[in-house]
Amino acid sequence: MASKRSMTTMNVWAMLLLCLASMSGSVVAKKSDVSELQIGVKYKPKSCDIQAHKGDRIKVHYRGSLTDGTVFDSSFERGDPIEFELGSGQVIKGWDQGLLGMCVGEKRKLKIPSKLGYGAQGSPPKIPGGATLVFDTELVAVNGKGISNDGDSEL
């Protein structure tokens, strides 16, 4: 009887380990994921006369992609930058934080962790839950003052 009991216990442990192993693939972050906001300045104008601050109304061109390179949205292709009040929660937290202090004409690459993006729920169908987001951004204007943009701006 003891031998049947130990076999049952071993089977239970084996099943438990198998379940944990199969779940770990979905829990473990991909190497390209980030846990904190990363800001990379790709271009900064020689003079920075106009900077973005909390409460400013800003216009930003962007290209949003997943870490595998899949583009999910781009204002460049539409020729229409997004306009919003910085720091007011109108956009994802990664943008409210990552665009602060940016100069008109500056270009930044933002790598945004899920917690500062769309979180565990994502934004179906294009953005899966838990996704790290990558945005190539260009600040076009602050409070109506900015660079002339004839639609040729490209990152």
Side-chain angles (χ1 to χ4, degrees):
M1 187 78 171
S3 120
K4 278 187 178 181
R5 209 167 170 179
S6 28
M7 288 298 286
T8 301
T9 303
M10 284 177 36
N11 286 341
V12 168
W13 279 109
M15 292 296 274
L16 182 60
L17 287 172
L18 185 60
C19 286
L20 288 173
S22 68
M23 288 179 13
S24 68
S26 60
V27 174
V28 175
K30 295 182 297 256
K31 193 174 185 176
S32 55
D33 286 342
V34 296
S35 59
E36 298 300 323
L37 175 63
Q38 293 180 4
I39 303 170
V41 176
K42 298 302 177 186
Y43 171 79
K44 191 159 190 160
K46 290 177 186 165
S47 70
C48 183
D49 299 327
I50 306 170
Q51 250 183 332
H53 301 285
K54 185 176 181 177
D56 286 340
R57 189 124 192 103
I58 67 172
K59 278 188 177 184
V60 180
H61 258 308
Y62 67 92
R63 179 176 301 102
S65 60
L66 303 175
T67 55
D68 68 1
T70 303
V71 174
F72 56 81
D73 193 15
S74 176
S75 70
F76 288 105
E77 278 67 26
R78 287 191 305 277
D80 187 25
I82 186 172
E83 186 173 353
F84 62 95
E85 183 180 320
L86 186 60
S88 67
Q90 294 178 356
V91 293
I92 59 174
K93 290 178 183 179
W95 271 41
D96 272 342
Q97 294 173 20
L99 302 176
L100 283 170
M102 198 169 178
C103 301
V104 169
E106 184 176 338
K107 298 176 184 182
R108 290 184 181 178
K109 178 174 284 225
L110 306 178
K111 289 186 180 178
I112 302 174
S114 174
K115 67 184 177 184
L116 297 178
Y118 293 101
Q121 75 278 3
S123 183
K126 294 186 176 185
I127 302 171
T132 290
L133 307 175
V134 179
F135 284 95
D136 292 308
T137 63
E138 179 181 359
L139 184 60
V140 176
V142 175
N143 297 323
K145 298 176 185 170
I147 56 175
S148 64
N149 189 353
D150 57 9
D152 290 338
S153 180
E154 192 63 34
L155 292 174

